[in-house]
Amino acid sequence: MFGLKLNKREKYAVIGAAGCLLFFIVMQFLIFPIFDKRDRLRRVIQSQTEALREMRAMKFDYEAFQKQTNVTKAAFSRREKSFSLFSYLDKLIGEVGVKENVKYMKPSTSVQKETNVKISSVELKLQAITTEQLTHYLHGVEHNKNNMYIKRIAISETGKPEGFIDVVMQVETVES
């Protein structure tokens, strides 16, 4: 071998060392890269599977949002073009029979910065009304085709006649 005189035992040792070196080279440059690539592919597949799950969830949320938007648009299209929150609430006060109990009604409008949506609101105070009158008024506000909602309400007992309450509430709607 290469002009070297080696005895039988030394030849086996050199062949064994060469075999070990060849085994190491095959493992290092062929086998390990295959396993590393397989592990990398598994991680990529897992991350892409998770991304796909998230996209499907977002798609579901988006479709639900679109359905709600369409329902809301349809509701606004049914609302009278001349609708005014203040006048509707004033008319409802007359229907419930608490016109003389109104302390104040303060209309205001604002624009939400994120969505550029115009919000119309009315804050009103009713003094010395019964819970039955309040119930009828709240029903008239919440159950109508004009998409109004009560943003906040505060109810307190009056010091005057027994069984009467004072109510301060803020009613809002989106203007179209």
PDB file of all heavy atoms in Angstrom, residues 123-158:
ATOM      1  N   GLU A 123     -79.002  62.406  25.499  1.00  0.00           N
ATOM      2  CA  GLU A 123     -79.015  62.116  26.929  1.00  0.00           C
ATOM      3  C   GLU A 123     -80.285  62.733  27.477  1.00  0.00           C
ATOM      4  O   GLU A 123     -80.606  63.882  27.177  1.00  0.00           O
ATOM      5  CB  GLU A 123     -77.796  62.707  27.626  1.00  0.00           C
ATOM      6  CG  GLU A 123     -77.756  62.356  29.093  1.00  0.00           C
ATOM      7  CD  GLU A 123     -76.496  62.834  29.786  1.00  0.00           C
ATOM      8  OE1 GLU A 123     -75.401  62.636  29.224  1.00  0.00           O
ATOM      9  OE2 GLU A 123     -76.624  63.400  30.877  1.00  0.00           O
ATOM     10  N   LEU A 124     -81.026  61.966  28.267  1.00  0.00           N
ATOM     11  CA  LEU A 124     -82.269  62.495  28.809  1.00  0.00           C
ATOM     12  C   LEU A 124     -82.442  62.079  30.256  1.00  0.00           C
ATOM     13  O   LEU A 124     -81.907  61.062  30.691  1.00  0.00           O
ATOM     14  CB  LEU A 124     -83.478  62.045  27.983  1.00  0.00           C
ATOM     15  CG  LEU A 124     -83.776  60.559  27.902  1.00  0.00           C
ATOM     16  CD1 LEU A 124     -85.165  60.331  28.435  1.00  0.00           C
ATOM     17  CD2 LEU A 124     -83.694  60.135  26.461  1.00  0.00           C
ATOM     18  N   LYS A 125     -83.174  62.924  30.974  1.00  0.00           N
ATOM     19  CA  LYS A 125     -83.453  62.633  32.374  1.00  0.00           C
ATOM     20  C   LYS A 125     -84.959  62.666  32.566  1.00  0.00           C
ATOM     21  O   LYS A 125     -85.632  63.629  32.195  1.00  0.00           O
ATOM     22  CB  LYS A 125     -82.801  63.662  33.300  1.00  0.00           C
ATOM     23  CG  LYS A 125     -83.058  63.363  34.770  1.00  0.00           C
ATOM     24  CD  LYS A 125     -82.267  64.260  35.694  1.00  0.00           C
ATOM     25  CE  LYS A 125     -82.472  63.807  37.137  1.00  0.00           C
ATOM     26  NZ  LYS A 125     -81.638  64.566  38.059  1.00  0.00           N
ATOM     27  N   LEU A 126     -85.480  61.587  33.135  1.00  0.00           N
ATOM     28  CA  LEU A 126     -86.898  61.477  33.464  1.00  0.00           C
ATOM     29  C   LEU A 126     -87.002  61.441  34.979  1.00  0.00           C
ATOM     30  O   LEU A 126     -86.322  60.657  35.638  1.00  0.00           O
ATOM     31  CB  LEU A 126     -87.492  60.198  32.867  1.00  0.00           C
ATOM     32  CG  LEU A 126     -87.383  60.044  31.350  1.00  0.00           C
ATOM     33  CD1 LEU A 126     -87.819  58.665  30.920  1.00  0.00           C
ATOM     34  CD2 LEU A 126     -88.202  61.107  30.649  1.00  0.00           C
ATOM     35  N   GLN A 127     -87.876  62.290  35.538  1.00  0.00           N
ATOM     36  CA  GLN A 127     -88.018  62.353  36.993  1.00  0.00           C
ATOM     37  C   GLN A 127     -89.381  61.831  37.411  1.00  0.00           C
ATOM     38  O   GLN A 127     -90.391  62.074  36.741  1.00  0.00           O
ATOM     39  CB  GLN A 127     -87.880  63.801  37.485  1.00  0.00           C
ATOM     40  CG  GLN A 127     -86.480  64.338  37.371  1.00  0.00           C
ATOM     41  CD  GLN A 127     -86.367  65.742  37.937  1.00  0.00           C
ATOM     42  OE1 GLN A 127     -87.189  66.593  37.657  1.00  0.00           O
ATOM     43  NE2 GLN A 127     -85.337  65.966  38.742  1.00  0.00           N
ATOM     44  N   ALA A 128     -89.403  61.139  38.521  1.00  0.00           N
ATOM     45  CA  ALA A 128     -90.624  60.655  39.172  1.00  0.00           C
ATOM     46  C   ALA A 128     -91.511  59.869  38.217  1.00  0.00           C
ATOM     47  O   ALA A 128     -92.681  60.187  38.018  1.00  0.00           O
ATOM     48  CB  ALA A 128     -91.387  61.820  39.799  1.00  0.00           C
ATOM     49  N   ILE A 129     -90.941  58.795  37.622  1.00  0.00           N
ATOM     50  CA  ILE A 129     -91.749  57.914  36.770  1.00  0.00           C
ATOM     51  C   ILE A 129     -91.835  56.547  37.446  1.00  0.00           C
ATOM     52  O   ILE A 129     -91.055  56.224  38.336  1.00  0.00           O
ATOM     53  CB  ILE A 129     -91.158  57.779  35.346  1.00  0.00           C
ATOM     54  CG1 ILE A 129     -89.783  57.102  35.382  1.00  0.00           C
ATOM     55  CG2 ILE A 129     -91.100  59.125  34.664  1.00  0.00           C
ATOM     56  CD1 ILE A 129     -89.242  56.739  34.011  1.00  0.00           C
ATOM     57  N   THR A 130     -92.787  55.760  36.985  1.00  0.00           N
ATOM     58  CA  THR A 130     -92.932  54.414  37.542  1.00  0.00           C
ATOM     59  C   THR A 130     -92.042  53.446  36.767  1.00  0.00           C
ATOM     60  O   THR A 130     -91.626  53.738  35.643  1.00  0.00           O
ATOM     61  CB  THR A 130     -94.394  53.933  37.452  1.00  0.00           C
ATOM     62  OG1 THR A 130     -94.746  53.791  36.068  1.00  0.00           O
ATOM     63  CG2 THR A 130     -95.349  54.895  38.150  1.00  0.00           C
ATOM     64  N   THR A 131     -91.790  52.300  37.359  1.00  0.00           N
ATOM     65  CA  THR A 131     -90.992  51.290  36.654  1.00  0.00           C
ATOM     66  C   THR A 131     -91.738  50.768  35.428  1.00  0.00           C
ATOM     67  O   THR A 131     -91.124  50.405  34.436  1.00  0.00           O
ATOM     68  CB  THR A 131     -90.637  50.115  37.590  1.00  0.00           C
ATOM     69  OG1 THR A 131     -91.825  49.586  38.161  1.00  0.00           O
ATOM     70  CG2 THR A 131     -89.674  50.551  38.668  1.00  0.00           C
ATOM     71  N   GLU A 132     -93.054  50.772  35.480  1.00  0.00           N
ATOM     72  CA  GLU A 132     -93.848  50.341  34.321  1.00  0.00           C
ATOM     73  C   GLU A 132     -93.669  51.330  33.168  1.00  0.00           C
ATOM     74  O   GLU A 132     -93.502  50.924  32.011  1.00  0.00           O
ATOM     75  CB  GLU A 132     -95.326  50.237  34.701  1.00  0.00           C
ATOM     76  CG  GLU A 132     -96.179  49.686  33.577  1.00  0.00           C
ATOM     77  CD  GLU A 132     -97.638  49.530  33.988  1.00  0.00           C
ATOM     78  OE1 GLU A 132     -97.909  49.261  35.166  1.00  0.00           O
ATOM     79  OE2 GLU A 132     -98.487  49.688  33.099  1.00  0.00           O
ATOM     80  N   GLN A 133     -93.680  52.617  33.466  1.00  0.00           N
ATOM     81  CA  GLN A 133     -93.468  53.623  32.420  1.00  0.00           C
ATOM     82  C   GLN A 133     -92.060  53.482  31.838  1.00  0.00           C
ATOM     83  O   GLN A 133     -91.882  53.570  30.620  1.00  0.00           O
ATOM     84  CB  GLN A 133     -93.666  55.033  32.993  1.00  0.00           C
ATOM     85  CG  GLN A 133     -95.110  55.365  33.306  1.00  0.00           C
ATOM     86  CD  GLN A 133     -95.228  56.675  34.072  1.00  0.00           C
ATOM     87  OE1 GLN A 133     -94.428  56.977  34.954  1.00  0.00           O
ATOM     88  NE2 GLN A 133     -96.259  57.450  33.732  1.00  0.00           N
ATOM     89  N   LEU A 134     -91.082  53.256  32.703  1.00  0.00           N
ATOM     90  CA  LEU A 134     -89.711  53.065  32.227  1.00  0.00           C
ATOM     91  C   LEU A 134     -89.618  51.831  31.330  1.00  0.00           C
ATOM     92  O   LEU A 134     -88.989  51.869  30.272  1.00  0.00           O
ATOM     93  CB  LEU A 134     -88.738  52.926  33.406  1.00  0.00           C
ATOM     94  CG  LEU A 134     -87.288  52.623  33.029  1.00  0.00           C
ATOM     95  CD1 LEU A 134     -86.690  53.738  32.186  1.00  0.00           C
ATOM     96  CD2 LEU A 134     -86.452  52.365  34.269  1.00  0.00           C
ATOM     97  N   THR A 135     -90.271  50.764  31.735  1.00  0.00           N
ATOM     98  CA  THR A 135     -90.254  49.533  30.938  1.00  0.00           C
ATOM     99  C   THR A 135     -90.845  49.771  29.554  1.00  0.00           C
ATOM    100  O   THR A 135     -90.269  49.343  28.548  1.00  0.00           O
ATOM    101  CB  THR A 135     -91.034  48.412  31.660  1.00  0.00           C
ATOM    102  OG1 THR A 135     -90.469  48.220  32.952  1.00  0.00           O
ATOM    103  CG2 THR A 135     -90.983  47.117  30.887  1.00  0.00           C
ATOM    104  N   HIS A 136     -91.943  50.463  29.473  1.00  0.00           N
ATOM    105  CA  HIS A 136     -92.556  50.762  28.170  1.00  0.00           C
ATOM    106  C   HIS A 136     -91.635  51.642  27.325  1.00  0.00           C
ATOM    107  O   HIS A 136     -91.495  51.424  26.116  1.00  0.00           O
ATOM    108  CB  HIS A 136     -93.917  51.435  28.352  1.00  0.00           C
ATOM    109  CG  HIS A 136     -94.979  50.509  28.858  1.00  0.00           C
ATOM    110  ND1 HIS A 136     -95.361  49.376  28.191  1.00  0.00           N
ATOM    111  CD2 HIS A 136     -95.738  50.552  29.984  1.00  0.00           C
ATOM    112  CE1 HIS A 136     -96.315  48.755  28.873  1.00  0.00           C
ATOM    113  NE2 HIS A 136     -96.550  49.450  29.980  1.00  0.00           N
ATOM    114  N   TYR A 137     -91.005  52.602  27.965  1.00  0.00           N
ATOM    115  CA  TYR A 137     -90.104  53.489  27.226  1.00  0.00           C
ATOM    116  C   TYR A 137     -88.883  52.714  26.706  1.00  0.00           C
ATOM    117  O   TYR A 137     -88.519  52.842  25.540  1.00  0.00           O
ATOM    118  CB  TYR A 137     -89.658  54.660  28.120  1.00  0.00           C
ATOM    119  CG  TYR A 137     -88.911  55.703  27.336  1.00  0.00           C
ATOM    120  CD1 TYR A 137     -89.584  56.592  26.504  1.00  0.00           C
ATOM    121  CD2 TYR A 137     -87.524  55.798  27.412  1.00  0.00           C
ATOM    122  CE1 TYR A 137     -88.906  57.543  25.776  1.00  0.00           C
ATOM    123  CE2 TYR A 137     -86.838  56.750  26.681  1.00  0.00           C
ATOM    124  CZ  TYR A 137     -87.534  57.620  25.866  1.00  0.00           C
ATOM    125  OH  TYR A 137     -86.860  58.560  25.127  1.00  0.00           O
ATOM    126  N   LEU A 138     -88.289  51.898  27.564  1.00  0.00           N
ATOM    127  CA  LEU A 138     -87.128  51.110  27.146  1.00  0.00           C
ATOM    128  C   LEU A 138     -87.485  50.143  26.022  1.00  0.00           C
ATOM    129  O   LEU A 138     -86.705  49.935  25.093  1.00  0.00           O
ATOM    130  CB  LEU A 138     -86.542  50.346  28.337  1.00  0.00           C
ATOM    131  CG  LEU A 138     -85.916  51.195  29.438  1.00  0.00           C
ATOM    132  CD1 LEU A 138     -85.466  50.315  30.590  1.00  0.00           C
ATOM    133  CD2 LEU A 138     -84.770  52.027  28.915  1.00  0.00           C
ATOM    134  N   HIS A 139     -88.654  49.559  26.114  1.00  0.00           N
ATOM    135  CA  HIS A 139     -89.111  48.651  25.049  1.00  0.00           C
ATOM    136  C   HIS A 139     -89.241  49.414  23.737  1.00  0.00           C
ATOM    137  O   HIS A 139     -88.842  48.917  22.672  1.00  0.00           O
ATOM    138  CB  HIS A 139     -90.443  48.002  25.439  1.00  0.00           C
ATOM    139  CG  HIS A 139     -90.884  46.973  24.451  1.00  0.00           C
ATOM    140  ND1 HIS A 139     -91.674  47.276  23.382  1.00  0.00           N
ATOM    141  CD2 HIS A 139     -90.623  45.634  24.383  1.00  0.00           C
ATOM    142  CE1 HIS A 139     -91.894  46.181  22.677  1.00  0.00           C
ATOM    143  NE2 HIS A 139     -91.270  45.174  23.262  1.00  0.00           N
ATOM    144  N   GLY A 140     -89.783  50.621  23.792  1.00  0.00           N
ATOM    145  CA  GLY A 140     -89.919  51.440  22.580  1.00  0.00           C
ATOM    146  C   GLY A 140     -88.581  51.829  21.986  1.00  0.00           C
ATOM    147  O   GLY A 140     -88.454  51.964  20.769  1.00  0.00           O
ATOM    148  N   VAL A 141     -87.581  51.997  22.835  1.00  0.00           N
ATOM    149  CA  VAL A 141     -86.248  52.357  22.342  1.00  0.00           C
ATOM    150  C   VAL A 141     -85.558  51.136  21.727  1.00  0.00           C
ATOM    151  O   VAL A 141     -85.036  51.200  20.616  1.00  0.00           O
ATOM    152  CB  VAL A 141     -85.373  52.934  23.482  1.00  0.00           C
ATOM    153  CG1 VAL A 141     -83.921  53.065  23.038  1.00  0.00           C
ATOM    154  CG2 VAL A 141     -85.899  54.285  23.941  1.00  0.00           C
ATOM    155  N   GLU A 142     -85.573  50.042  22.426  1.00  0.00           N
ATOM    156  CA  GLU A 142     -84.802  48.870  21.992  1.00  0.00           C
ATOM    157  C   GLU A 142     -85.484  48.041  20.902  1.00  0.00           C
ATOM    158  O   GLU A 142     -84.805  47.363  20.146  1.00  0.00           O
ATOM    159  CB  GLU A 142     -84.503  47.967  23.195  1.00  0.00           C
ATOM    160  CG  GLU A 142     -83.530  48.559  24.178  1.00  0.00           C
ATOM    161  CD  GLU A 142     -82.091  48.504  23.713  1.00  0.00           C
ATOM    162  OE1 GLU A 142     -81.729  47.630  22.915  1.00  0.00           O
ATOM    163  OE2 GLU A 142     -81.311  49.357  24.167  1.00  0.00           O
ATOM    164  N   HIS A 143     -86.796  48.048  20.830  1.00  0.00           N
ATOM    165  CA  HIS A 143     -87.505  47.188  19.879  1.00  0.00           C
ATOM    166  C   HIS A 143     -88.186  48.032  18.811  1.00  0.00           C
ATOM    167  O   HIS A 143     -89.398  48.211  18.814  1.00  0.00           O
ATOM    168  CB  HIS A 143     -88.527  46.307  20.609  1.00  0.00           C
ATOM    169  CG  HIS A 143     -87.890  45.337  21.526  1.00  0.00           C
ATOM    170  ND1 HIS A 143     -87.496  45.659  22.795  1.00  0.00           N
ATOM    171  CD2 HIS A 143     -87.534  44.040  21.338  1.00  0.00           C
ATOM    172  CE1 HIS A 143     -86.944  44.619  23.362  1.00  0.00           C
ATOM    173  NE2 HIS A 143     -86.949  43.618  22.507  1.00  0.00           N
ATOM    174  N   ASN A 144     -87.396  48.516  17.888  1.00  0.00           N
ATOM    175  CA  ASN A 144     -87.916  49.281  16.767  1.00  0.00           C
ATOM    176  C   ASN A 144     -87.026  49.032  15.569  1.00  0.00           C
ATOM    177  O   ASN A 144     -85.994  48.397  15.668  1.00  0.00           O
ATOM    178  CB  ASN A 144     -87.988  50.780  17.119  1.00  0.00           C
ATOM    179  CG  ASN A 144     -86.627  51.354  17.396  1.00  0.00           C
ATOM    180  OD1 ASN A 144     -85.795  51.441  16.503  1.00  0.00           O
ATOM    181  ND2 ASN A 144     -86.368  51.731  18.644  1.00  0.00           N
ATOM    182  N   LYS A 145     -87.398  49.558  14.442  1.00  0.00           N
ATOM    183  CA  LYS A 145     -86.654  49.313  13.209  1.00  0.00           C
ATOM    184  C   LYS A 145     -85.554  50.351  12.970  1.00  0.00           C
ATOM    185  O   LYS A 145     -84.899  50.318  11.944  1.00  0.00           O
ATOM    186  CB  LYS A 145     -87.612  49.306  12.016  1.00  0.00           C
ATOM    187  CG  LYS A 145     -88.306  50.634  11.805  1.00  0.00           C
ATOM    188  CD  LYS A 145     -89.233  50.608  10.631  1.00  0.00           C
ATOM    189  CE  LYS A 145     -89.849  52.007  10.493  1.00  0.00           C
ATOM    190  NZ  LYS A 145     -90.583  52.168   9.314  1.00  0.00           N
ATOM    191  N   ASN A 146     -85.332  51.229  13.923  1.00  0.00           N
ATOM    192  CA  ASN A 146     -84.396  52.332  13.713  1.00  0.00           C
ATOM    193  C   ASN A 146     -82.997  52.098  14.277  1.00  0.00           C
ATOM    194  O   ASN A 146     -82.183  52.996  14.283  1.00  0.00           O
ATOM    195  CB  ASN A 146     -84.979  53.629  14.300  1.00  0.00           C
ATOM    196  CG  ASN A 146     -86.222  54.043  13.543  1.00  0.00           C
ATOM    197  OD1 ASN A 146     -86.239  54.053  12.320  1.00  0.00           O
ATOM    198  ND2 ASN A 146     -87.272  54.359  14.273  1.00  0.00           N
ATOM    199  N   ASN A 147     -82.723  50.913  14.773  1.00  0.00           N
ATOM    200  CA  ASN A 147     -81.383  50.535  15.248  1.00  0.00           C
ATOM    201  C   ASN A 147     -80.819  51.498  16.284  1.00  0.00           C
ATOM    202  O   ASN A 147     -79.732  52.040  16.136  1.00  0.00           O
ATOM    203  CB  ASN A 147     -80.408  50.414  14.079  1.00  0.00           C
ATOM    204  CG  ASN A 147     -80.735  49.269  13.191  1.00  0.00           C
ATOM    205  OD1 ASN A 147     -81.161  48.226  13.667  1.00  0.00           O
ATOM    206  ND2 ASN A 147     -80.563  49.431  11.900  1.00  0.00           N
ATOM    207  N   MET A 148     -81.561  51.685  17.334  1.00  0.00           N
ATOM    208  CA  MET A 148     -81.100  52.496  18.450  1.00  0.00           C
ATOM    209  C   MET A 148     -80.711  51.558  19.582  1.00  0.00           C
ATOM    210  O   MET A 148     -81.181  50.432  19.649  1.00  0.00           O
ATOM    211  CB  MET A 148     -82.215  53.425  18.941  1.00  0.00           C
ATOM    212  CG  MET A 148     -82.714  54.388  17.890  1.00  0.00           C
ATOM    213  SD  MET A 148     -84.020  55.441  18.497  1.00  0.00           S
ATOM    214  CE  MET A 148     -85.252  54.290  18.976  1.00  0.00           C
ATOM    215  N   TYR A 149     -79.891  52.047  20.456  1.00  0.00           N
ATOM    216  CA  TYR A 149     -79.529  51.256  21.618  1.00  0.00           C
ATOM    217  C   TYR A 149     -79.243  52.189  22.787  1.00  0.00           C
ATOM    218  O   TYR A 149     -78.918  53.357  22.614  1.00  0.00           O
ATOM    219  CB  TYR A 149     -78.326  50.353  21.350  1.00  0.00           C
ATOM    220  CG  TYR A 149     -77.092  51.089  20.901  1.00  0.00           C
ATOM    221  CD1 TYR A 149     -76.134  51.488  21.827  1.00  0.00           C
ATOM    222  CD2 TYR A 149     -76.883  51.387  19.558  1.00  0.00           C
ATOM    223  CE1 TYR A 149     -75.007  52.169  21.425  1.00  0.00           C
ATOM    224  CE2 TYR A 149     -75.762  52.069  19.151  1.00  0.00           C
ATOM    225  CZ  TYR A 149     -74.826  52.460  20.081  1.00  0.00           C
ATOM    226  OH  TYR A 149     -73.708  53.134  19.682  1.00  0.00           O
ATOM    227  N   ILE A 150     -79.404  51.643  23.971  1.00  0.00           N
ATOM    228  CA  ILE A 150     -79.146  52.408  25.184  1.00  0.00           C
ATOM    229  C   ILE A 150     -77.688  52.185  25.557  1.00  0.00           C
ATOM    230  O   ILE A 150     -77.277  51.065  25.844  1.00  0.00           O
ATOM    231  CB  ILE A 150     -80.090  51.979  26.321  1.00  0.00           C
ATOM    232  CG1 ILE A 150     -81.520  52.293  25.906  1.00  0.00           C
ATOM    233  CG2 ILE A 150     -79.717  52.682  27.623  1.00  0.00           C
ATOM    234  CD1 ILE A 150     -82.569  51.718  26.798  1.00  0.00           C
ATOM    235  N   LYS A 151     -76.924  53.263  25.521  1.00  0.00           N
ATOM    236  CA  LYS A 151     -75.494  53.146  25.835  1.00  0.00           C
ATOM    237  C   LYS A 151     -75.277  53.095  27.337  1.00  0.00           C
ATOM    238  O   LYS A 151     -74.452  52.336  27.822  1.00  0.00           O
ATOM    239  CB  LYS A 151     -74.727  54.317  25.238  1.00  0.00           C
ATOM    240  CG  LYS A 151     -73.243  54.214  25.488  1.00  0.00           C
ATOM    241  CD  LYS A 151     -72.474  55.284  24.806  1.00  0.00           C
ATOM    242  CE  LYS A 151     -70.985  55.074  25.060  1.00  0.00           C
ATOM    243  NZ  LYS A 151     -70.199  56.094  24.441  1.00  0.00           N
ATOM    244  N   ARG A 152     -76.015  53.910  28.056  1.00  0.00           N
ATOM    245  CA  ARG A 152     -75.847  53.899  29.510  1.00  0.00           C
ATOM    246  C   ARG A 152     -77.148  54.345  30.146  1.00  0.00           C
ATOM    247  O   ARG A 152     -77.921  55.090  29.565  1.00  0.00           O
ATOM    248  CB  ARG A 152     -74.639  54.741  29.838  1.00  0.00           C
ATOM    249  CG  ARG A 152     -74.699  55.939  30.582  1.00  0.00           C
ATOM    250  CD  ARG A 152     -73.336  56.631  30.686  1.00  0.00           C
ATOM    251  NE  ARG A 152     -73.281  57.802  29.851  1.00  0.00           N
ATOM    252  CZ  ARG A 152     -73.782  58.973  30.223  1.00  0.00           C
ATOM    253  NH1 ARG A 152     -74.332  59.113  31.400  1.00  0.00           N
ATOM    254  NH2 ARG A 152     -73.733  59.988  29.422  1.00  0.00           N
ATOM    255  N   ILE A 153     -77.379  53.847  31.363  1.00  0.00           N
ATOM    256  CA  ILE A 153     -78.599  54.184  32.096  1.00  0.00           C
ATOM    257  C   ILE A 153     -78.291  54.173  33.593  1.00  0.00           C
ATOM    258  O   ILE A 153     -77.529  53.333  34.063  1.00  0.00           O
ATOM    259  CB  ILE A 153     -79.757  53.212  31.753  1.00  0.00           C
ATOM    260  CG1 ILE A 153     -81.058  53.670  32.385  1.00  0.00           C
ATOM    261  CG2 ILE A 153     -79.412  51.811  32.140  1.00  0.00           C
ATOM    262  CD1 ILE A 153     -82.289  52.928  31.866  1.00  0.00           C
ATOM    263  N   ALA A 154     -78.856  55.143  34.292  1.00  0.00           N
ATOM    264  CA  ALA A 154     -78.720  55.208  35.748  1.00  0.00           C
ATOM    265  C   ALA A 154     -80.115  55.403  36.324  1.00  0.00           C
ATOM    266  O   ALA A 154     -80.844  56.307  35.922  1.00  0.00           O
ATOM    267  CB  ALA A 154     -77.805  56.364  36.148  1.00  0.00           C
ATOM    268  N   ILE A 155     -80.479  54.547  37.269  1.00  0.00           N
ATOM    269  CA  ILE A 155     -81.815  54.583  37.876  1.00  0.00           C
ATOM    270  C   ILE A 155     -81.637  54.812  39.373  1.00  0.00           C
ATOM    271  O   ILE A 155     -80.828  54.139  40.013  1.00  0.00           O
ATOM    272  CB  ILE A 155     -82.570  53.259  37.625  1.00  0.00           C
ATOM    273  CG1 ILE A 155     -82.686  53.002  36.120  1.00  0.00           C
ATOM    274  CG2 ILE A 155     -83.933  53.281  38.295  1.00  0.00           C
ATOM    275  CD1 ILE A 155     -83.199  51.630  35.765  1.00  0.00           C
ATOM    276  N   SER A 156     -82.412  55.745  39.910  1.00  0.00           N
ATOM    277  CA  SER A 156     -82.347  55.998  41.356  1.00  0.00           C
ATOM    278  C   SER A 156     -83.752  56.270  41.884  1.00  0.00           C
ATOM    279  O   SER A 156     -84.631  56.715  41.155  1.00  0.00           O
ATOM    280  CB  SER A 156     -81.418  57.181  41.656  1.00  0.00           C
ATOM    281  OG  SER A 156     -81.882  58.348  41.010  1.00  0.00           O
ATOM    282  N   GLU A 157     -83.946  55.985  43.165  1.00  0.00           N
ATOM    283  CA  GLU A 157     -85.244  56.262  43.793  1.00  0.00           C
ATOM    284  C   GLU A 157     -85.389  57.758  44.008  1.00  0.00           C
ATOM    285  O   GLU A 157     -84.413  58.452  44.298  1.00  0.00           O
ATOM    286  CB  GLU A 157     -85.334  55.558  45.145  1.00  0.00           C
ATOM    287  CG  GLU A 157     -85.566  54.081  45.049  1.00  0.00           C
ATOM    288  CD  GLU A 157     -85.854  53.486  46.405  1.00  0.00           C
ATOM    289  OE1 GLU A 157     -86.988  53.678  46.890  1.00  0.00           O
ATOM    290  OE2 GLU A 157     -84.937  52.869  46.953  1.00  0.00           O
ATOM    291  N   THR A 158     -86.619  58.235  43.885  1.00  0.00           N
ATOM    292  CA  THR A 158     -86.871  59.647  44.174  1.00  0.00           C
ATOM    293  C   THR A 158     -87.130  59.799  45.656  1.00  0.00           C
ATOM    294  O   THR A 158     -87.512  58.855  46.343  1.00  0.00           O
ATOM    295  CB  THR A 158     -88.107  60.164  43.398  1.00  0.00           C
ATOM    296  OG1 THR A 158     -89.240  59.416  43.816  1.00  0.00           O
ATOM    297  CG2 THR A 158     -87.921  60.045  41.914  1.00  0.00           C
TER     298      THR A 158
END
